[in-house]
Amino acid sequence: MLSRYLEIQKAALFSRDQLVAFERRLAHIDLCDANVVVTGSYARQEASAVSDFDYFLLVPEGVDEQTVGRICDDVRSAVASKIGKLPSENGAFGSAVRFGELGLNIGGNEDDNKRITRRILFLTEGKSIGNSTLFKNQRE
């Protein structure tokens, strides 16, 4: 019976190990109180060596655009070095979202696919790395 779940156990262990290594790397980056929100297979602990790393940065108010750009670059570099596979270009992940943005215009004409995708995954499976208070406040 246990062997039926071996692949699930392997994926959970792989996901946890990769996230621990990534969190250690993030400890050397000044996130300026931003939060890395992990979604997808890593958040669900179902990742494998071929999984991409779906994440976005949740950025608090008051952080200037230049700093946000630097944080995005630093986190992207950390993902590349510790995880290996970045999210797809121009998709919903790998970018910054300002605090409060996920709750704007819900269902309205300006509520686009990227925001809807981020919002749903943030609420249903998002994992917080960094400023957990910001993460919890945004969820509320």
Side-chain angles (χ1 to χ4, degrees):
M1 180 77 154
L2 201 55
S3 64
R4 288 179 40 192
Y5 302 105
L6 187 58
E7 292 305 312
I8 293 171
Q9 291 170 342
K10 283 183 188 177
L13 184 59
F14 177 83
S15 300
R16 283 192 300 266
D17 288 348
Q18 290 291 92
L19 285 174
V20 166
F22 178 66
E23 287 183 69
R24 284 187 187 131
R25 173 68 176 84
L26 281 184
H28 301 286
I29 296 172
D30 181 6
L31 295 175
C32 297
D33 292 326
N35 183 263
V36 178
V37 178
V38 179
T39 64
S41 58
Y42 279 93
R44 294 187 308 270
Q45 296 187 355
E46 298 172 348
S48 71
V50 298
S51 298
D52 65 350
F53 192 71
D54 293 328
Y55 74 95
F56 62 89
L57 297 173
L58 182 60
V59 180
E61 296 175 19
V63 179
D64 64 82
E65 289 303 314
Q66 183 177 358
T67 302
V68 171
R70 191 248 332 135
I71 296 168
C72 284
D73 291 346
D74 289 349
V75 170
R76 186 172 185 79
S77 175
V79 171
S81 70
K82 293 300 174 186
I83 304 294
K85 193 160 182 194
L86 295 163
S88 61
E89 290 288 324
N90 300 317
F93 303 106
S95 58
V97 176
R98 294 283 181 171
F99 181 83
E101 184 179 316
L102 293 174
L104 294 177
N105 200 22
I106 295 174
N109 291 336
E110 295 176 29
D111 199 14
D112 63 11
N113 185 52
K114 288 180 183 180
R115 187 180 299 153
I116 293 167
T117 299
R118 289 181 194 127
R119 181 186 311 118
I120 289 170
L121 295 178
F122 173 75
L123 292 171
T124 59
E125 66 184 23
K127 177 180 174 19
S128 170
I129 300 176
N131 187 347
S132 61
T133 301
L134 184 71
F135 181 86
K136 289 175 188 174
N137 289 342
Q138 181 69 69
R139 272 198 169 167
E140 289 174 6

CSV table of all heavy atoms in Angstrom, one decimal, residues 5-19 38-54 83 121 124-125 127:
chain,number,residue,atom,x,y,z
A,5,TYR,N,2.0,5.3,-2.9
A,5,TYR,CA,2.2,6.7,-2.5
A,5,TYR,C,3.6,7.2,-2.6
A,5,TYR,O,3.9,8.3,-2.2
A,5,TYR,CB,1.6,7.0,-1.2
A,5,TYR,CG,0.1,6.7,-1.1
A,5,TYR,CD1,-0.3,5.5,-0.4
A,5,TYR,CD2,-0.8,7.4,-1.8
A,5,TYR,CE1,-1.7,5.2,-0.4
A,5,TYR,CE2,-2.2,7.1,-1.7
A,5,TYR,CZ,-2.6,6.0,-1.0
A,5,TYR,OH,-3.9,5.6,-1.0
A,6,LEU,N,4.5,6.4,-3.1
A,6,LEU,CA,5.9,6.7,-3.1
A,6,LEU,C,6.2,7.9,-4.0
A,6,LEU,O,7.0,8.8,-3.6
A,6,LEU,CB,6.7,5.5,-3.6
A,6,LEU,CG,8.2,5.6,-3.6
A,6,LEU,CD1,8.7,5.9,-2.1
A,6,LEU,CD2,8.9,4.4,-4.1
A,7,GLU,N,5.6,8.0,-5.1
A,7,GLU,CA,5.8,9.2,-6.0
A,7,GLU,C,5.3,10.5,-5.3
A,7,GLU,O,5.9,11.5,-5.5
A,7,GLU,CB,5.2,9.0,-7.3
A,7,GLU,CG,5.8,7.9,-8.2
A,7,GLU,CD,7.3,8.1,-8.4
A,7,GLU,OE1,7.7,9.2,-8.7
A,7,GLU,OE2,8.1,7.2,-8.1
A,8,ILE,N,4.2,10.4,-4.6
A,8,ILE,CA,3.7,11.6,-3.9
A,8,ILE,C,4.6,11.9,-2.8
A,8,ILE,O,4.9,13.1,-2.6
A,8,ILE,CB,2.3,11.3,-3.3
A,8,ILE,CG1,1.3,11.1,-4.5
A,8,ILE,CG2,1.8,12.4,-2.4
A,8,ILE,CD1,-0.1,10.6,-4.1
A,9,GLN,N,5.2,11.0,-2.1
A,9,GLN,CA,6.1,11.3,-1.0
A,9,GLN,C,7.4,11.9,-1.6
A,9,GLN,O,8.0,12.8,-1.0
A,9,GLN,CB,6.4,10.0,-0.2
A,9,GLN,CG,5.3,9.5,0.6
A,9,GLN,CD,5.5,8.1,1.2
A,9,GLN,OE1,6.4,7.4,0.7
A,9,GLN,NE2,4.7,7.7,2.2
A,10,LYS,N,7.9,11.3,-2.7
A,10,LYS,CA,9.1,11.9,-3.3
A,10,LYS,C,8.9,13.3,-3.7
A,10,LYS,O,9.8,14.2,-3.6
A,10,LYS,CB,9.4,11.1,-4.6
A,10,LYS,CG,10.1,9.8,-4.3
A,10,LYS,CD,10.5,9.1,-5.7
A,10,LYS,CE,11.0,7.7,-5.6
A,10,LYS,NZ,11.2,7.1,-6.9
A,11,ALA,N,7.7,13.6,-4.3
A,11,ALA,CA,7.4,15.0,-4.7
A,11,ALA,C,7.3,15.9,-3.5
A,11,ALA,O,7.9,17.1,-3.6
A,11,ALA,CB,6.1,15.0,-5.5
A,12,ALA,N,6.7,15.5,-2.5
A,12,ALA,CA,6.6,16.3,-1.3
A,12,ALA,C,8.0,16.6,-0.7
A,12,ALA,O,8.3,17.7,-0.3
A,12,ALA,CB,5.7,15.6,-0.2
A,13,LEU,N,8.9,15.6,-0.6
A,13,LEU,CA,10.2,15.8,-0.1
A,13,LEU,C,11.0,16.7,-1.0
A,13,LEU,O,11.7,17.6,-0.6
A,13,LEU,CB,10.9,14.4,0.0
A,13,LEU,CG,12.3,14.4,0.7
A,13,LEU,CD1,12.2,15.0,2.1
A,13,LEU,CD2,12.9,13.0,0.7
A,14,PHE,N,10.9,16.5,-2.3
A,14,PHE,CA,11.7,17.3,-3.3
A,14,PHE,C,11.2,18.8,-3.1
A,14,PHE,O,12.0,19.7,-3.1
A,14,PHE,CB,11.4,16.8,-4.7
A,14,PHE,CG,12.0,17.7,-5.8
A,14,PHE,CD1,13.4,17.5,-6.1
A,14,PHE,CD2,11.3,18.7,-6.4
A,14,PHE,CE1,14.0,18.3,-7.1
A,14,PHE,CE2,11.9,19.4,-7.4
A,14,PHE,CZ,13.3,19.3,-7.7
A,15,SER,N,9.9,19.0,-3.1
A,15,SER,CA,9.4,20.3,-3.0
A,15,SER,C,9.9,21.0,-1.7
A,15,SER,O,10.3,22.2,-1.7
A,15,SER,CB,7.8,20.3,-2.9
A,15,SER,OG,7.3,19.7,-4.1
A,16,ARG,N,9.8,20.3,-0.6
A,16,ARG,CA,10.2,20.9,0.7
A,16,ARG,C,11.7,21.2,0.7
A,16,ARG,O,12.1,22.3,1.1
A,16,ARG,CB,9.9,20.0,1.9
A,16,ARG,CG,8.5,20.0,2.3
A,16,ARG,CD,8.3,19.3,3.6
A,16,ARG,NE,8.6,17.9,3.6
A,16,ARG,CZ,7.8,16.9,3.3
A,16,ARG,NH1,6.5,17.1,3.1
A,16,ARG,NH2,8.3,15.6,3.3
A,17,ASP,N,12.5,20.3,0.1
A,17,ASP,CA,14.0,20.5,0.1
A,17,ASP,C,14.3,21.7,-0.8
A,17,ASP,O,15.2,22.6,-0.4
A,17,ASP,CB,14.7,19.3,-0.4
A,17,ASP,CG,14.7,18.2,0.6
A,17,ASP,OD1,14.4,18.4,1.7
A,17,ASP,OD2,15.1,17.0,0.1
A,18,GLN,N,13.7,21.8,-1.9
A,18,GLN,CA,13.9,23.0,-2.8
A,18,GLN,C,13.5,24.3,-2.2
A,18,GLN,O,14.2,25.3,-2.3
A,18,GLN,CB,13.2,22.8,-4.1
A,18,GLN,CG,13.7,21.6,-5.0
A,18,GLN,CD,15.1,22.0,-5.6
A,18,GLN,OE1,16.1,21.7,-5.0
A,18,GLN,NE2,15.1,22.6,-6.7
A,19,LEU,N,12.3,24.3,-1.5
A,19,LEU,CA,11.9,25.5,-0.9
A,19,LEU,C,12.8,25.9,0.3
A,19,LEU,O,13.0,27.1,0.5
A,19,LEU,CB,10.4,25.4,-0.4
A,19,LEU,CG,9.4,25.4,-1.5
A,19,LEU,CD1,8.0,25.1,-0.9
A,19,LEU,CD2,9.4,26.8,-2.2
A,38,VAL,N,4.4,31.8,-3.3
A,38,VAL,CA,4.7,30.6,-4.1
A,38,VAL,C,3.3,29.9,-4.4
A,38,VAL,O,2.5,29.7,-3.5
A,38,VAL,CB,5.7,29.6,-3.4
A,38,VAL,CG1,5.9,28.4,-4.3
A,38,VAL,CG2,7.0,30.3,-3.1
A,39,THR,N,3.1,29.5,-5.6
A,39,THR,CA,1.9,28.8,-6.0
A,39,THR,C,2.3,27.6,-6.8
A,39,THR,O,3.4,27.3,-7.0
A,39,THR,CB,0.9,29.7,-6.8
A,39,THR,OG1,1.5,30.1,-8.0
A,39,THR,CG2,0.5,31.0,-6.0
A,40,GLY,N,1.3,26.9,-7.3
A,40,GLY,CA,1.6,25.8,-8.2
A,40,GLY,C,2.1,24.6,-7.5
A,40,GLY,O,1.9,24.4,-6.3
A,41,SER,N,2.8,23.8,-8.2
A,41,SER,CA,3.3,22.5,-7.7
A,41,SER,C,4.2,22.6,-6.5
A,41,SER,O,4.1,21.7,-5.6
A,41,SER,CB,4.0,21.7,-8.8
A,41,SER,OG,5.1,22.4,-9.3
A,42,TYR,N,5.0,23.7,-6.4
A,42,TYR,CA,5.8,23.8,-5.2
A,42,TYR,C,4.9,24.1,-4.0
A,42,TYR,O,5.2,23.6,-2.9
A,42,TYR,CB,6.9,24.9,-5.4
A,42,TYR,CG,8.1,24.4,-6.1
A,42,TYR,CD1,8.1,24.5,-7.5
A,42,TYR,CD2,9.1,23.7,-5.5
A,42,TYR,CE1,9.2,24.0,-8.2
A,42,TYR,CE2,10.2,23.2,-6.2
A,42,TYR,CZ,10.2,23.3,-7.5
A,42,TYR,OH,11.3,22.8,-8.2
A,43,ALA,N,3.9,25.0,-4.1
A,43,ALA,CA,3.1,25.3,-3.0
A,43,ALA,C,2.3,24.1,-2.6
A,43,ALA,O,2.0,23.9,-1.4
A,43,ALA,CB,2.1,26.4,-3.4
A,44,ARG,N,1.9,23.2,-3.5
A,44,ARG,CA,1.1,22.0,-3.2
A,44,ARG,C,2.0,20.9,-2.8
A,44,ARG,O,1.5,19.8,-2.5
A,44,ARG,CB,0.3,21.6,-4.4
A,44,ARG,CG,-0.8,22.6,-4.8
A,44,ARG,CD,-1.7,22.0,-5.9
A,44,ARG,NE,-1.0,21.6,-7.1
A,44,ARG,CZ,-0.6,22.3,-8.1
A,44,ARG,NH1,-1.0,23.6,-8.2
A,44,ARG,NH2,0.0,21.8,-9.2
A,45,GLN,N,3.3,21.1,-2.9
A,45,GLN,CA,4.3,20.0,-2.6
A,45,GLN,C,4.2,18.8,-3.5
A,45,GLN,O,4.2,17.7,-3.1
A,45,GLN,CB,4.2,19.6,-1.1
A,45,GLN,CG,4.6,20.7,-0.2
A,45,GLN,CD,4.7,20.2,1.3
A,45,GLN,OE1,4.4,19.1,1.6
A,45,GLN,NE2,5.1,21.2,2.1
A,46,GLU,N,4.0,19.2,-4.8
A,46,GLU,CA,3.9,18.2,-5.9
A,46,GLU,C,5.0,18.3,-6.9
A,46,GLU,O,4.9,17.8,-8.0
A,46,GLU,CB,2.5,18.3,-6.5
A,46,GLU,CG,1.4,18.0,-5.6
A,46,GLU,CD,0.0,18.3,-6.3
A,46,GLU,OE1,0.0,19.0,-7.4
A,46,GLU,OE2,-1.0,18.0,-5.7
A,47,ALA,N,6.0,19.1,-6.6
A,47,ALA,CA,7.0,19.5,-7.7
A,47,ALA,C,8.0,18.3,-8.0
A,47,ALA,O,8.2,17.4,-7.1
A,47,ALA,CB,7.8,20.7,-7.2
A,48,SER,N,8.5,18.4,-9.1
A,48,SER,CA,9.6,17.5,-9.6
A,48,SER,C,10.7,18.3,-10.2
A,48,SER,O,10.6,19.5,-10.3
A,48,SER,CB,9.1,16.4,-10.5
A,48,SER,OG,8.8,17.1,-11.8
A,49,ALA,N,11.7,17.6,-10.6
A,49,ALA,CA,12.9,18.3,-11.3
A,49,ALA,C,12.5,19.1,-12.5
A,49,ALA,O,13.2,20.0,-13.0
A,49,ALA,CB,14.0,17.4,-11.5
A,50,VAL,N,11.4,18.8,-13.2
A,50,VAL,CA,10.9,19.4,-14.4
A,50,VAL,C,9.9,20.5,-14.1
A,50,VAL,O,9.5,21.2,-15.1
A,50,VAL,CB,10.4,18.4,-15.4
A,50,VAL,CG1,11.5,17.5,-15.9
A,50,VAL,CG2,9.2,17.7,-14.9
A,51,SER,N,9.5,20.7,-12.9
A,51,SER,CA,8.5,21.7,-12.5
A,51,SER,C,9.1,23.1,-12.6
A,51,SER,O,10.2,23.4,-12.2
A,51,SER,CB,8.0,21.5,-11.1
A,51,SER,OG,7.3,20.3,-11.0
A,52,ASP,N,8.3,24.1,-13.1
A,52,ASP,CA,8.7,25.5,-13.1
A,52,ASP,C,8.2,26.0,-11.7
A,52,ASP,O,7.5,25.3,-11.0
A,52,ASP,CB,8.1,26.3,-14.2
A,52,ASP,CG,6.6,26.4,-14.2
A,52,ASP,OD1,5.9,25.7,-13.4
A,52,ASP,OD2,6.1,27.2,-15.0
A,53,PHE,N,8.7,27.2,-11.4
A,53,PHE,CA,8.5,27.8,-10.1
A,53,PHE,C,7.6,29.0,-10.2
A,53,PHE,O,8.0,30.0,-10.7
A,53,PHE,CB,9.9,28.2,-9.5
A,53,PHE,CG,9.8,28.5,-8.0
A,53,PHE,CD1,9.6,27.6,-7.0
A,53,PHE,CD2,10.0,29.9,-7.6
A,53,PHE,CE1,9.5,27.9,-5.7
A,53,PHE,CE2,9.9,30.2,-6.3
A,53,PHE,CZ,9.7,29.2,-5.3
A,54,ASP,N,6.3,28.8,-9.9
A,54,ASP,CA,5.3,29.8,-10.0
A,54,ASP,C,5.3,30.7,-8.8
A,54,ASP,O,5.1,30.1,-7.7
A,54,ASP,CB,3.9,29.3,-10.3
A,54,ASP,CG,3.8,28.6,-11.6
A,54,ASP,OD1,4.5,29.0,-12.6
A,54,ASP,OD2,3.0,27.6,-11.7
A,83,ILE,N,16.3,26.9,-7.8
A,83,ILE,CA,15.2,26.0,-8.3
A,83,ILE,C,15.5,25.6,-9.7
A,83,ILE,O,15.4,24.4,-10.1
A,83,ILE,CB,13.8,26.8,-8.3
A,83,ILE,CG1,13.5,27.3,-6.9
A,83,ILE,CG2,12.7,25.9,-8.9
A,83,ILE,CD1,13.2,26.2,-5.9
A,121,LEU,N,-5.0,31.5,-7.1
A,121,LEU,CA,-4.0,30.7,-6.5
A,121,LEU,C,-3.4,31.2,-5.2
A,121,LEU,O,-3.1,30.4,-4.3
A,121,LEU,CB,-2.9,30.5,-7.6
A,121,LEU,CG,-3.3,29.7,-8.8
A,121,LEU,CD1,-2.2,29.6,-9.8
A,121,LEU,CD2,-3.9,28.4,-8.5
A,124,THR,N,-6.1,30.0,-2.7
A,124,THR,CA,-6.4,28.6,-2.6
A,124,THR,C,-5.1,27.8,-2.2
A,124,THR,O,-5.3,26.8,-1.5
A,124,THR,CB,-7.0,28.0,-3.9
A,124,THR,OG1,-6.1,28.2,-5.0
A,124,THR,CG2,-8.3,28.6,-4.2
A,125,GLU,N,-4.0,28.2,-2.7
A,125,GLU,CA,-2.8,27.4,-2.4
A,125,GLU,C,-1.5,28.2,-2.1
A,125,GLU,O,-0.5,27.6,-1.9
A,125,GLU,CB,-2.5,26.4,-3.6
A,125,GLU,CG,-2.1,27.2,-4.9
A,125,GLU,CD,-1.9,26.3,-6.1
A,125,GLU,OE1,-2.5,25.2,-6.1
A,125,GLU,OE2,-1.2,26.7,-7.0
A,127,LYS,N,1.7,30.0,-0.8
A,127,LYS,CA,2.6,29.8,0.3
A,127,LYS,C,3.4,31.0,0.5
A,127,LYS,O,4.0,31.5,-0.4
A,127,LYS,CB,3.4,28.5,0.1
A,127,LYS,CG,4.5,28.3,1.2
A,127,LYS,CD,5.3,27.1,0.9
A,127,LYS,CE,6.4,26.8,1.9
A,127,LYS,NZ,6.4,27.4,3.1
